[in-house]
Amino acid sequence: MSTTATTMERAVPPQAGPRAFVQRLREGDQIAHIITLVFAAGILLITSLLVYELWVNSHLSRSKFGWLFFWTRTWDPIFDNFGAAPFIYGTLVTSIVSLVVAVPLGLAAAVFLAELAPRTLSDSIAFLIDLLAAVPSVIYGVLGIFIVVPLMRTVIGPALKSTLGFLPFFRGPNYGVGFLTAGIVLAIMIVPFIISVSREVLLTVPREQREAALSLGATRWEATWKVVVPWARTGIMGSIFLALARALGETMAVTMVIGNDPKISASLFAPGYTIAAVIANEFTEATGDLYLSALIELGLVLFLMTFILNGLARILIVATERGGGHPS
Amino acid sequence: MSRLRLIWRKSLNVVMLTLTGVSAFAVVSVLFLILGYLIYNGGRSLNWAFFTQLPKPVGETGGGMANAIVGSLKLLLLAALIGLPVGLMAGIYLAEFGGKVFSFVIRYTTDLLNGVPSIVMGIFAYSLVVLPVKHFSTLAGGFALGIMVIPITVRASEEFLRAIPGSLREGAMALGASKWRTIATVVLPAASGGIITGCLLSLARVAGETAPLLFTAFGNRFWSPGWGQPTSSLPVMIYTYATGPYDDWHRQAWAAGLVLLGLVLLANVGCRLVINRRGIRGV
């Protein structure tokens, strides 16, 4: 350290004097500042470029279909007639199904880990659950194809039909692939996010809140459900939004189990299609410029959806961490 | 009446608390079920040829995924070269230099970039790298993965740099070191373990990404020389083989899934153990 410092000093021309030397060092700081700033600004540049490319390359489709793009139900590459409705529908339905399955399960598990389990057990389970979040989505897809699809065909589907068959959601032929299967696979994928973030948020709730409720004679469950969870509710909402954003953008696992059929059907057993899945399947086969442009516009739609959700989620989580989450 | 209510409250307490436990147990058992089933099927199908041979022509049994393994490694190398420097430098900026407003903007953008669906990253890389040259390439795939590496690297570097105590910086500065020298010779080495871990985690994350590779690196049933040709990769091979019609393809998809998951989980377990021991969270 000291030797390098002296060599640096010697490198300065003798007439420059100590003040110029200090000046140079300051300039070194300036240079380091500017270099790192350039890289940080690079992130801004990349993100803006991403939005720009999506916007420009979807120009053909946007100018031809306009807002009708969102309401049109046909997807016909041969006659160049493209509508996003079936894909938006599929994306929303699979995400909603996944939330319906994952939120109660994830929230309950988070409550158990934060409120009941001893800290060491809670930490080790949280560790395992973080690992579950790291499993690549294509592997969930493989498991979906080879485990969930057969299960749906033989066990889950028939069981739902016999018990809830009077609802329109559970009617029609059951192929094994479809909205419900995709929703279940998605639920398995997003549950770790909900647990992980909700547990963190629940752990930030002050001890006094629990103790006050218990001392008033509340049972453990009442203290948790009526005091702790409401206190943390904005953070929990944040975790759900994050999970939803992930479910919306999830590609591979869904593509492998949804059946890839651009139709809008009330039945959850019916095969469908999502935005991400259609891009994955048809992008390399898109022959016409308009076809490609329509797919890129779908990408833009997907980007905007996740953008809004992620923004909301961040705001909610930050709000809770600052302690603004308690009930008014 | 109030006695009944007490019984009701107490039993509700027991039932609901049990349910939360059951949920936690169910989620954890899903993890083991997944791992177990994958290890069982993958282990049965894994053989030496998987690592050494090229895929056989469609319809023939046997063969392996040597080219996909090399392809994945090449893509990861490119991703590291593109993503890690940007992420690290931006992390240094945020932790050491950043002003209030601009830092907030950068952090927000990084979070936004982190949330962009991977398939959209694929479109981005396609329009930026594939469209101008009109053919799929390893380079395009590496670019897509490289962008995805950036957000986690930024977060990890910033977090670990901030965790270095101020006294270390002050000590170096008291010895007359300038700010950048302090960062380069004192702060960065002290934080290096954590930063390397964070970089590994981000690479482990993109190692399993399939969607952005579908129309950038595409796929290839042969070796892919250089960087300008389409290349196959493990995740894309898993996708192609699992959705394909042949039993032997399914067998190989399981094997590839086991190899991929093994690598990803190994990196994750190692990294997370290091991070937790240092008591730093949020990566």
Side-chain angles (χ1 to χ4, degrees):
Chain A
M1 180 82 203
S2 62
T3 51
T4 47
T6 43
T7 46
M8 283 231 18
E9 214 159 354
R10 244 180 250 134
V12 181
Q15 70 269 27
R19 285 191 63 171
F21 175 59
V22 170
Q23 188 66 36
R24 256 189 69 155
L25 281 185
R26 286 230 181 91
E27 276 168 19
D29 281 353
Q30 284 300 316
I31 292 168
H33 188 151
I34 289 169
I35 291 175
T36 55
L37 178 71
V38 166
F39 278 100
I43 295 179
L44 272 185
L45 182 77
I46 288 168
T47 313
S48 333
L49 204 60
L50 173 79
V51 179
Y52 173 81
E53 289 285 345
L54 288 176
W55 183 255
V56 168
N57 287 321
S58 62
H59 169 76
L60 264 182
S61 159
R62 275 187 295 112
S63 59
K64 173 147 189 222
F65 303 116
W67 293 105
L68 261 179
F69 186 67
F70 298 99
W71 304 115
T72 311
R73 292 171 65 157
T74 45
W75 181 260
D76 189 350
I78 297 165
F79 293 100
D80 262 354
N81 193 8
F82 299 105
F87 309 109
I88 295 174
Y89 176 79
T91 306
L92 292 180
V93 167
T94 49
S95 303
I96 291 168
V97 170
S98 73
L99 284 186
V100 168
V101 178
V103 168
L105 198 65
L107 203 53
V111 165
F112 176 78
L113 293 179
E115 303 293 320
L116 295 176
R119 194 55 195 260
T120 31
L121 178 71
S122 169
D123 281 349
S124 7
I125 292 182
F127 180 79
L128 287 178
I129 284 170
D130 278 348
L131 285 187
L132 208 54
V135 174
S137 65
V138 70
I139 288 181
Y140 282 111
V142 173
L143 294 161
I145 286 188
F146 296 119
I147 301 177
V148 183
V149 170
L151 265 183
M152 178 62 69
R153 205 159 27 208
T154 55
V155 182
I156 307 175
L160 280 174
K161 258 187 190 173
S162 61
T163 51
L164 296 167
F166 56 92
L167 293 170
F169 311 125
F170 302 111
R171 279 194 195 146
N174 173 16
Y175 305 103
V177 294
F179 294 116
L180 189 58
T181 317
I184 290 174
V185 173
L186 276 179
I188 299 173
M189 299 181 67
I190 63 173
V191 134
F193 283 83
I194 297 179
I195 297 180
S196 187
V197 181
S198 301
R199 172 180 169 267
E200 296 281 314
V201 176
L202 287 173
L203 285 176
T204 63
V205 177
R207 255 179 84 91
E208 291 82 0
Q209 293 290 323
R210 297 180 180 90
E211 286 166 358
L214 291 175
S215 70
L216 287 174
T219 61
R220 195 74 182 262
W221 168 251
E222 285 164 347
T224 304
W225 189 245
K226 295 189 175 153
V227 177
V228 177
V229 171
W231 179 284
R233 68 180 168 197
T234 29
I236 291 171
M237 281 304 288
S239 83
I240 294 171
F241 279 25
L242 273 186
L244 180 59
R246 187 175 151 115
L248 289 176
E250 178 45 48
T251 313
M252 299 321 296
V254 173
T255 310
M256 291 160 90
V257 298
I258 197 166
N260 300 334
D261 185 11
K263 284 208 182 74
I264 296 181
S265 354
S267 170
L268 293 177
F269 293 134
Y273 228 148
T274 67
I275 297 178
V278 73
I279 299 173
N281 272 331
E282 300 190 2
F283 206 85
T284 49
E285 297 158 10
T287 38
D289 285 344
L290 188 65
Y291 192 2
L292 199 63
S293 172
L295 285 171
I296 293 176
E297 186 174 357
L298 281 177
L300 182 66
V301 172
L302 191 60
F303 172 80
L304 290 177
M305 282 165 133
T306 48
F307 171 58
I308 293 167
L309 275 175
N310 273 313
L312 284 176
R314 297 279 157 215
I315 292 168
L316 285 177
I317 289 174
V318 168
T320 327
E321 276 167 4
R322 287 189 183 154
H326 50 270
S328 45
Chain B
M1 186 66 197
S2 73
R3 194 176 160 72
L4 260 178
R5 174 144 178 83
L6 191 66
I7 294 171
W8 159 248
R9 283 174 56 203
K10 285 199 165 161
S11 34
L12 185 73
N13 181 40
V14 173
V15 169
M16 295 313 274
L17 293 183
T18 318
L19 274 182
T20 62
V22 169
S23 304
F25 177 76
V27 173
V28 176
S29 47
V30 165
L31 172 74
F32 285 107
L33 213 76
I34 288 175
L35 279 181
Y37 201 68
L38 193 69
I39 291 172
Y40 171 69
N41 272 298
R44 251 185 354 172
S45 332
L46 208 55
N47 52 24
W48 193 239
F50 178 84
F51 296 100
T52 54
Q53 293 186 9
L54 283 178
K56 282 269 161 63
V58 176
E60 282 183 39
T61 54
M65 294 195 187
N67 60 339
I69 295 171
V70 174
S72 267
L73 289 178
K74 276 164 79 179
L75 287 168
L76 279 183
L77 178 70
L78 272 180
L81 287 178
I82 294 168
L84 295 185
V86 180
L88 177 63
M89 289 304 230
I92 293 176
Y93 174 79
L94 289 177
E96 306 287 335
F97 294 105
K100 250 195 170 146
V101 178
F102 192 61
S103 289
F104 174 80
V105 174
I106 297 289
R107 268 189 213 110
Y108 195 85
T109 319
T110 311
D111 278 347
L112 170 63
L113 202 60
N114 198 18
V116 173
S118 55
I119 188 92
V120 176
M121 282 299 182
I123 297 183
F124 179 48
Y126 176 87
S127 50
L128 216 58
V129 188
V130 177
L131 265 187
V133 296
K134 301 262 187 271
H135 66 83
F136 304 113
S137 62
T138 312
L139 203 62
F143 176 78
L145 296 187
I147 305 283
M148 302 186 69
V149 162
I150 294 175
I152 305 178
T153 316
V154 174
R155 285 260 285 285
S157 328
E158 189 196 350
E159 197 117 349
F160 285 107
L161 287 172
R162 278 189 191 283
I164 302 303
S167 52
L168 267 176
R169 292 191 181 81
E170 285 157 14
M173 285 183 164
L175 288 173
S178 61
K179 193 169 179 182
W180 73 268
R181 269 192 102 75
T182 309
I183 295 169
T185 57
V186 177
V187 183
L188 267 182
S192 62
I195 293 177
I196 292 169
T197 320
C199 293
L200 269 177
L201 268 184
S202 62
L203 285 178
R205 183 187 138 178
V206 298
E209 282 295 347
T210 318
L213 298 179
L214 289 174
F215 33 86
T216 51
F218 198 57
N220 196 337
R221 298 193 65 78
F222 306 97
W223 294 106
S224 157
W227 305 95
Q229 301 295 318
T231 181
S232 78
S233 55
L234 270 182
V236 175
M237 283 299 259
I238 295 174
Y239 171 59
T240 319
Y241 274 34
T243 50
Y246 311 105
D247 279 342
D248 194 56
W249 276 20
H250 296 166
R251 183 186 66 76
Q252 292 194 39
W254 281 113
L258 179 63
V259 171
L260 183 64
L261 188 70
L263 290 176
V264 169
L265 286 191
L266 204 68
N268 266 280
V269 170
C271 293
R272 279 171 205 280
L273 284 181
V274 171
I275 291 175
N276 284 353
R277 204 171 53 227
R278 285 156 182 259
I280 294 165
R281 303 200 53 88
V283 180

